[in-house]
Amino acid sequence: MNILNIENVSKTYMSKPVLTNVSVGISDSDKIGVVGTNGTGKSTFLAIAAGVVEADLGAVVKGNDLRISYLSQNPVFDLNKTLLENITDTIYAGGDHWDKMGEIKANLAKFGIEDPECNPSILSGGQKKRAALVAAIMTPADLLILDEPTNHLDSEMIEWLESYLQRFKGALLMVTHDRYFLDEVTNQIIEIDKGNVYRYEANYSGFLELKQQRLDYEMAAERKAATLYRKDLAWILRGARARSTKQKAHIQRFEALRDRVKPEEERFVELSSLPSRMGNKTIILDKISKSYEGKSLFRDFTYTFNKLDRIGIIGPNGCGKSTLIKCIIGQIKPDTGLVEIGQTIKIGYFSQENEALDENSRVLDYIKDTAEFIRTKDGLVSASAMCERFLFNPDMQYAPISKLSGGEKRRLYLLKVLMEAPNVIILDEPTNDLDIQTLRILEDYLDGFAGIIITVSHDRYFLDRVVTRIFSFEDINGERVLFQSEGGYSDYVIHKKERGIGESTSSGSLSEDKSKGRKNYKAPREKTKLSYSEQREYDTIEEEIEKLELKSGKLEEEMAGAATDFQKLMELSQEKENLDAEIERKFERYMELQEMVDRFSQNS
């Protein structure tokens, strides 16, 4: 039974149609994920369903007793009230009159907000989003509408929210970029594309298959219509006259074919830049430590980045992930220790928050200020052409940045970072506010990137897809350490469990007592095959070892020719020692991967 019907709804923003004659029914058991490219109207669709935005045309029909709880993309608080007062007003307005003060305070603390009596103006954007999420899930509702609920949550809280929504008895309408989250929580996907809505009775993985079937069918139908049009055009050119009803119908069919709307092949964000050359010295962290207000974030951390490192940094909110990144790029100085950056290192930094954008500047001018051209595998590509590849058509390129959606601004900022042609890419929460289509192409780009990748992310799919090593902030035996794990996020969960770090139990409510297993998240799936990153590593590691061994052999030859040059001999000797250590590490990793492949083959 439908509890809410969106009927023939249309909405236009700044002369741009975002929804066109859209009709959607939501039943009491639907768990719907909404997907689409940034700027297509996903947040607008949710806001119209929630009743906070009015459609230009059409109607939203719902029962008088339907209770809706809504989390907006950018929550707004009454600054004349405390945070606690804002949240209680929301919950009690939803029809819950029980005393919830203790539970609200406990849940805010759980989400990293220790002072519920504070004024909302002092909170960061992430803290505001988490506080609004507490209010949304604690408000009694038959329909829960969530816009990007996983933004600004750490991995454990994402898994907790995933479990909570699986148990939620009402209907769910949600926008999120987290593909694992969509797979586990939803049973339907709504895709918004060019103002139209397509509905798929499947989770995200099923949606990908069904969408491809739809596109294949549309292209096949277009080929058939094009063939028919050519035949009718030849008939018209022979001098057809509408002398009979039959001929009139034939002419009308020709006109309909002539004026048909042709399906567009799906456009992708194309990325293909060449990074700047990188010398032998990369980035060296030598026993760096940092504390904040008496709290140690990391201590005596040492690491030398290899030229093709793919590092994912994870941990609870406020643990020091972004601080570590800022120490690396030089925005913050460590309390002790050294950060050494090689002379040839060129860092591209995609921060959590967009840099200050001149809202009056044109999209194309913003990119041209970075570079007029970028060198790619296909030669030089102009800034305008790169904007096209990033789905900014000519009209959008000459529009002011103020007309872009939040997600489109993030995409523009990402393009600017990559136009700098860095050889080290640092991404701080790159999946926040980027649509899934852009993320997929970014992942493909990073696959072929010939440099260092460092990313802070809580997106488990993105980490599994991109990184080959995890740095995790963990509290072990009362001490904060950076735990290192080979592989992606799924591998980290297994390695963490093997080492006995943390707990993995089941939890019912957000504010349960510790004795009842408050931090009880979904157990990791049993591993039956190599992860994506492991398979990629396994496919290339033998070739990498062979190249390193050839390089080691050449160094031996150079050492023999430099026997009389002591300084040169020492430099070559040190370089060969480092190279041989890398060969040994690669070989050990190869044996580890081979052992896993053999074990999985035996079990299959």
Side-chain angles (χ1 to χ4, degrees), residues 120-371:
S121 62
I122 70 169
L123 299 179
S124 67
Q127 288 173 319
K128 288 177 181 177
K129 189 65 181 272
R130 296 196 296 274
L133 178 59
V134 169
I137 62 179
M138 289 187 66
T139 300
D142 306 302
L143 172 60
L144 186 55
I145 300 178
L146 305 175
D147 196 346
E148 296 286 8
T150 61
N151 280 5
H152 309 291
L153 297 185
D154 62 43
S155 301
E156 286 191 337
M157 284 314 305
I158 289 174
E159 291 178 5
W160 178 88
L161 183 61
E162 184 180 284
S163 178
Y164 173 85
L165 294 177
Q166 286 171 336
R167 300 190 309 273
F168 179 65
K169 300 299 182 184
L172 174 67
L173 182 66
M174 170 181 66
V175 169
T176 181
H177 58 260
D178 191 316
R179 286 152 286 184
Y180 280 164
F181 198 83
L182 282 171
D183 261 347
E184 293 298 326
V185 173
T186 65
N187 55 29
Q188 294 183 51
I189 296 292
I190 285 177
E191 180 190 20
I192 302 178
D193 184 22
K194 303 178 185 71
N196 299 314
V197 164
Y198 302 91
R199 191 164 185 164
Y200 305 85
E201 302 286 333
N203 62 6
Y204 180 74
S205 295
F207 148 74
L208 292 176
E209 297 179 15
L210 294 173
K211 178 182 179 179
Q212 190 57 53
Q213 291 176 17
R214 174 178 72 82
L215 294 176
D216 290 345
Y217 173 79
E218 287 180 356
M219 295 309 296
E222 168 58 22
R223 287 193 294 270
K224 184 177 179 181
T227 300
L228 194 57
Y229 171 74
R230 286 194 295 271
K231 291 180 179 178
D232 285 356
L233 177 62
W235 178 75
I236 289 287
L237 292 175
R238 286 198 298 269
R241 297 288 184 271
R243 294 172 180 167
S244 68
T245 301
K246 193 171 183 179
Q247 285 186 322
K248 284 180 180 179
H250 198 159
I251 291 173
Q252 289 172 351
R253 185 184 74 178
F254 164 77
E255 291 172 344
L257 287 169
R258 180 195 61 198
D259 300 333
R260 73 190 185 280
V261 177
K262 300 177 182 179
E264 296 182 22
E265 292 194 42
E266 191 170 13
R267 297 172 64 200
F268 294 103
V269 180
E270 299 175 27
L271 302 174
S272 170
S273 65
L274 293 178
S276 303
R277 186 188 70 83
M278 186 187 301
N280 290 326
K281 185 176 180 180
T282 57
I283 301 174
I284 301 171
L285 310 180
D286 185 14
K287 295 183 178 180
I288 63 170
S289 302
K290 188 67 183 178
S291 296
Y292 181 71
E293 294 183 349
K295 178 184 177 183
S296 175
L297 300 178
F298 45 87
R299 189 173 67 184
D300 293 335
F301 181 60
T302 297
Y303 187 79
T304 299
F305 288 88
N306 295 316
K307 289 185 178 181
L308 292 176
D309 261 347
R310 273 91 171 102
I311 306 294
I313 303 174
I314 65 174
N317 290 314
C319 68
K321 302 183 298 295
S322 293
T323 300
L324 176 60
I325 291 293
K326 289 175 181 178
C327 284
I328 293 173
I329 65 176
Q331 283 189 6
I332 294 176
K333 287 187 177 181
D335 298 334
T336 60
L338 294 174
V339 177
E340 297 183 52
I341 307 291
Q343 289 186 345
T344 60
I345 292 300
K346 186 175 181 182
I347 295 175
Y349 176 45
F350 184 65
S351 65
Q352 270 196 65
E353 304 294 336
N354 289 349
E355 64 179 22
L357 301 177
D358 180 358
E359 297 285 319
N360 296 318
S361 174
R362 296 185 305 180
V363 169
L364 181 58
D365 292 338
Y366 174 73
I367 296 302
K368 280 186 172 183
D369 285 344
T370 301

Side-chain angles (χ1 to χ4, degrees), residues 494-509:
I494 294 170
H495 297 157
K496 183 178 174 181
K497 186 178 179 182
E498 290 172 348
R499 292 279 298 273
I501 302 171
E503 297 177 357
S504 220
T505 52
S506 156
S507 139
S509 119

